[in-house]
Amino acid sequence: MKHCAYCKYPIVGEAVEIVPEAASGARPTAYWHKTAGDCVAAEERQTGSASPLRRNLSRL
């Protein structure tokens, strides 16, 4: 299973692959969610609740 290197949550679906520049393979390939919204959605799936910022913005 791929985990996002930015938000540390599992990636479901498509991911952006970040290939390291080290030819020796010392750094593993990293993955990011395709969009920033996917990082937020992944956090909400794991924690079961929205972040405080997201809750406040939804009230506007």
Side-chain angles (χ1 to χ4, degrees), residues 32-45:
W32 284 358
H33 283 101
K34 194 139 180 104
T35 64
D38 291 340
C39 284
V40 173
E43 179 181 357
E44 289 175 358
R45 276 194 302 272

